[in-house]
Amino acid sequence: MALESSWCETALLEKTRVVERAEGERAFHVFYELLEQRRRRRPNYLPEHPCRSADASATKARGFDDRQSYPKMIESLETVCQLDGEAREALLHCVDAVLSLGEVSFDTVYARTEDHGCKVSNANDLTQAANALGCDRALLEEGFLRRTVGTSTTSLSADQAMDARDALAKELYSRLFDRVVELSNATTRRKDRVADSVVIGMLDLFGFEFYGAAGSTNGFEQLLINFANERLQQRFVADVLARAQRELLAEGVPWTRVDYQDNAQVLRLIEARGGLVDILNEECIRGGSGADANFVGKLLRTYKENEILSTPKIRMTDSGEALPFKINHYAGDVLYRCTATASWVERNRDVLPAKLVEAMTTPAGAGMSVAVFGAAEARQLAAQRKHRRQSGQRALRRGSQVNA
């Protein structure tokens, strides 16, 4: 038996790791590999390589040498993705562009009214980011500083501008990641399936996540990871334990019964009609009026008699802040929180401001970032139109992270 074909599918990319991570954790390895390389060879299209975005305290991983792994990454891009030197460098320049976005910061502009806006702290940082992206600088700045809904335009606060910047960095990295997977599959996947071939599936999954240290928060990303683990646990129980025990019983083979925890109730809470996912998506559709407090309040009211879901008896929250809630997962209880800086509604909605989409689909140079972004945008819109034609239903909102 020989391996005839292989392909990858992205189940969940923890793209939040591009802009933030727990203390002592690394971002994606490619950032550190690239930074190590750029210390010796500076890219031509950037006056200086932006290094502040990568956490210097996490640039070394136990048993992982970035300088030694960089040539292996280059070899993989050339052999697996079939990229020549120019195409390979263009792809890595997209990673540079993601890092350059992290250099753009904002200062509050105080006004006599309560509608305080903001401005870019250093115009040169914005210029470098626009050059790295290959997009129009004015459109990029407009997308960071102002939000237009219909005919109304409002100024964004410094925090909101940083959120828009981070959203663009995450989305660009996500689309770049998808491009690498696409190139890899084009090389390794056969178009015609061999008769009588056997398919072996492997799942590379995050472990169950629970942050219990003081100051740590279990947020939206931890729920996604733990939800994936719940589904995997259910599949394992059904395919391995339950089926094996049924076969032993049918064949009359002596065996010792193995009791296992059925996590169907947790999955119903999360993914059933009217469950957590539905309630969260419903709150996202409400637009500007959607809020974490509304989402959590409705979730707790809907499942107030459900033993899988609870909220602490001592509720230490600020006025208007969403209550924390606890889910009894198969691996243990996890307390989740929605915070002002990690809104579940905003992270699930995950929609880029229209001006940033316009900036990233309006080339103003030879940057590959806008090409990768624009191609992914076109595919996404085409998929939405196809979905509407085939199902007759309204297409999902762009960027929705979880769907019932």
Side-chain angles (χ1 to χ4, degrees), residues 328-342:
N328 182 16
H329 290 283
Y330 79 90
D333 294 347
V334 177
L335 184 67
Y336 295 99
R337 293 181 183 274
C338 308
T339 65
T341 56

Side-chain angles (χ1 to χ4, degrees), residues 30 71-95 176-187 368 372:
V30 65
K72 298 177 182 177
M73 177 188 66
I74 295 299
E75 181 182 3
S76 297
L77 290 175
E78 292 174 344
T79 57
V80 179
C81 297
Q82 298 287 292
L83 295 178
D84 59 23
E86 183 178 353
R88 182 198 69 215
E89 284 303 305
L91 200 69
L92 293 177
H93 283 172
C94 292
V95 181
L176 178 62
F177 185 91
D178 289 342
R179 176 59 178 160
V180 172
V181 172
E182 179 186 5
L183 290 170
S184 173
N185 287 340
T187 302
M368 186 178 176
V372 170

Side-chain angles (χ1 to χ4, degrees), residues 107-168:
D107 294 326
T108 300
V109 175
Y110 294 97
R112 294 182 179 180
T113 64
E114 292 184 359
D115 184 22
H116 298 313
C118 67
K119 64 178 181 179
V120 175
S121 302
N122 189 322
N124 188 49
D125 288 337
L126 179 64
T127 300
Q128 289 186 17
N131 290 341
L133 293 167
C135 71
D136 184 270
R137 183 189 185 281
L139 284 176
L140 186 64
E141 183 175 21
E142 181 73 12
F144 286 153
L145 303 185
R146 279 169 280 279
R147 181 73 49 85
T148 300
V149 179
T151 58
S152 175
T153 300
T154 58
S155 298
L156 300 183
S157 67
D159 286 341
Q160 290 172 327
M162 286 189 288
D163 287 342
R165 175 205 63 193
D166 291 346
L168 178 56

Side-chain angles (χ1 to χ4, degrees), residues 21-32:
R21 54 208 169 274
E23 184 178 354
E25 290 192 350
R26 283 166 63 101
F28 293 102
H29 292 311
V30 65
F31 292 139
Y32 305 104

Side-chain angles (χ1 to χ4, degrees), residues 94 114 121 125 129-130 138 152 209 215 249 256 285 287 327 374 377 384 391:
C94 292
E114 292 184 359
S121 302
D125 288 337
S152 175
E209 277 201 356
L249 182 63
T256 301
I285 293 172
I327 296 179
E377 184 73 12
Q384 289 177 350
S391 65

